[in-house]
Short mmCIF file of all heavy atoms in Angstrom, two decimals:
data_model
loop_
_atom_site.label_atom_id
_atom_site.label_comp_id
_atom_site.label_asym_id
_atom_site.label_seq_id
_atom_site.Cartn_x
_atom_site.Cartn_y
_atom_site.Cartn_z
N MET A 87 34.32 -121.97 18.83
CA MET A 87 33.12 -122.41 18.11
C MET A 87 32.51 -121.21 17.39
O MET A 87 32.35 -120.14 17.97
CB MET A 87 32.10 -123.02 19.07
CG MET A 87 30.85 -123.56 18.37
SD MET A 87 29.57 -124.15 19.53
CE MET A 87 30.43 -125.52 20.32
N SER A 88 32.15 -121.41 16.14
CA SER A 88 31.65 -120.34 15.31
C SER A 88 30.21 -119.98 15.62
O SER A 88 29.50 -120.68 16.36
CB SER A 88 31.74 -120.74 13.83
OG SER A 88 30.70 -121.67 13.51
N LYS A 89 29.77 -118.89 15.03
CA LYS A 89 28.35 -118.55 15.05
C LYS A 89 27.61 -119.52 14.14
O LYS A 89 28.22 -120.34 13.44
CB LYS A 89 28.13 -117.11 14.59
CG LYS A 89 28.50 -116.87 13.13
CD LYS A 89 28.25 -115.43 12.73
CE LYS A 89 28.55 -115.22 11.23
NZ LYS A 89 28.30 -113.82 10.81
N GLU A 90 26.29 -119.43 14.09
CA GLU A 90 25.48 -120.38 13.32
C GLU A 90 25.44 -120.02 11.84
O GLU A 90 25.31 -118.85 11.47
CB GLU A 90 24.06 -120.44 13.87
CG GLU A 90 23.20 -121.51 13.21
CD GLU A 90 21.88 -121.74 13.92
OE1 GLU A 90 21.73 -121.25 15.07
OE2 GLU A 90 21.00 -122.39 13.36
N PHE A 91 25.55 -121.07 11.00
CA PHE A 91 25.41 -120.92 9.55
C PHE A 91 24.06 -121.50 9.12
O PHE A 91 23.36 -122.14 9.89
CB PHE A 91 26.55 -121.65 8.82
CG PHE A 91 27.91 -121.16 9.15
CD1 PHE A 91 28.73 -121.88 10.01
CD2 PHE A 91 28.40 -119.98 8.60
CE1 PHE A 91 30.01 -121.43 10.32
CE2 PHE A 91 29.67 -119.52 8.91
CZ PHE A 91 30.48 -120.25 9.77
N ASP A 92 23.73 -121.28 7.85
CA ASP A 92 22.52 -121.86 7.27
C ASP A 92 22.80 -123.31 6.89
O ASP A 92 23.51 -123.57 5.92
CB ASP A 92 22.09 -121.06 6.04
CG ASP A 92 20.75 -121.54 5.48
OD1 ASP A 92 20.30 -122.65 5.84
OD2 ASP A 92 20.16 -120.80 4.67
N VAL A 93 22.28 -124.26 7.67
CA VAL A 93 22.59 -125.67 7.45
C VAL A 93 22.13 -126.15 6.09
O VAL A 93 22.72 -127.05 5.49
CB VAL A 93 21.97 -126.54 8.58
CG1 VAL A 93 20.45 -126.54 8.49
CG2 VAL A 93 22.52 -127.96 8.52
N GLU A 94 21.07 -125.53 5.54
CA GLU A 94 20.58 -125.93 4.22
C GLU A 94 21.59 -125.58 3.13
O GLU A 94 21.68 -126.26 2.11
CB GLU A 94 19.24 -125.24 3.93
CG GLU A 94 18.11 -125.64 4.87
CD GLU A 94 17.75 -127.11 4.73
OE1 GLU A 94 17.90 -127.64 3.61
OE2 GLU A 94 17.32 -127.71 5.72
N LYS A 95 22.38 -124.55 3.36
CA LYS A 95 23.35 -124.12 2.36
C LYS A 95 24.70 -124.82 2.51
O LYS A 95 25.33 -125.18 1.51
CB LYS A 95 23.55 -122.60 2.45
CG LYS A 95 22.34 -121.79 2.01
CD LYS A 95 22.65 -120.30 2.08
CE LYS A 95 21.46 -119.47 1.61
NZ LYS A 95 21.75 -118.01 1.67
N VAL A 96 25.16 -124.99 3.74
CA VAL A 96 26.51 -125.50 3.94
C VAL A 96 26.57 -126.93 4.48
O VAL A 96 27.63 -127.54 4.49
CB VAL A 96 27.32 -124.57 4.87
CG1 VAL A 96 27.42 -123.19 4.27
CG2 VAL A 96 26.70 -124.49 6.26
N GLY A 97 25.44 -127.46 4.97
CA GLY A 97 25.43 -128.84 5.45
C GLY A 97 25.75 -128.99 6.93
O GLY A 97 25.74 -130.09 7.46
N PHE A 98 26.04 -127.88 7.61
CA PHE A 98 26.32 -127.91 9.04
C PHE A 98 25.91 -126.57 9.64
O PHE A 98 25.84 -125.56 8.94
CB PHE A 98 27.79 -128.21 9.32
CG PHE A 98 28.73 -127.28 8.60
CD1 PHE A 98 29.10 -126.07 9.17
CD2 PHE A 98 29.23 -127.61 7.36
CE1 PHE A 98 29.95 -125.20 8.50
CE2 PHE A 98 30.08 -126.74 6.68
CZ PHE A 98 30.44 -125.54 7.25
N LYS A 99 25.67 -126.57 10.95
CA LYS A 99 25.25 -125.33 11.60
C LYS A 99 26.43 -124.51 12.11
O LYS A 99 26.41 -123.28 12.04
CB LYS A 99 24.32 -125.65 12.78
CG LYS A 99 22.96 -126.17 12.37
CD LYS A 99 22.08 -126.40 13.60
CE LYS A 99 20.71 -126.90 13.20
NZ LYS A 99 19.86 -127.16 14.40
N ARG A 100 27.42 -125.19 12.64
CA ARG A 100 28.57 -124.47 13.23
C ARG A 100 29.86 -125.23 12.98
O ARG A 100 29.85 -126.42 12.66
CB ARG A 100 28.37 -124.30 14.75
CG ARG A 100 27.15 -123.47 15.12
CD ARG A 100 26.95 -123.42 16.63
NE ARG A 100 25.70 -122.78 16.98
CZ ARG A 100 25.55 -121.48 17.17
NH1 ARG A 100 26.60 -120.69 17.08
NH2 ARG A 100 24.36 -120.99 17.48
#
Side-chain angles (χ1 to χ4, degrees):
M87 183 185 296
S88 76
K89 66 179 183 180
E90 186 169 347
F91 299 103
D92 185 345
V93 68
E94 296 295 329
K95 291 183 178 180
V96 300
F98 53 87
K99 290 183 179 179
R100 298 175 187 272

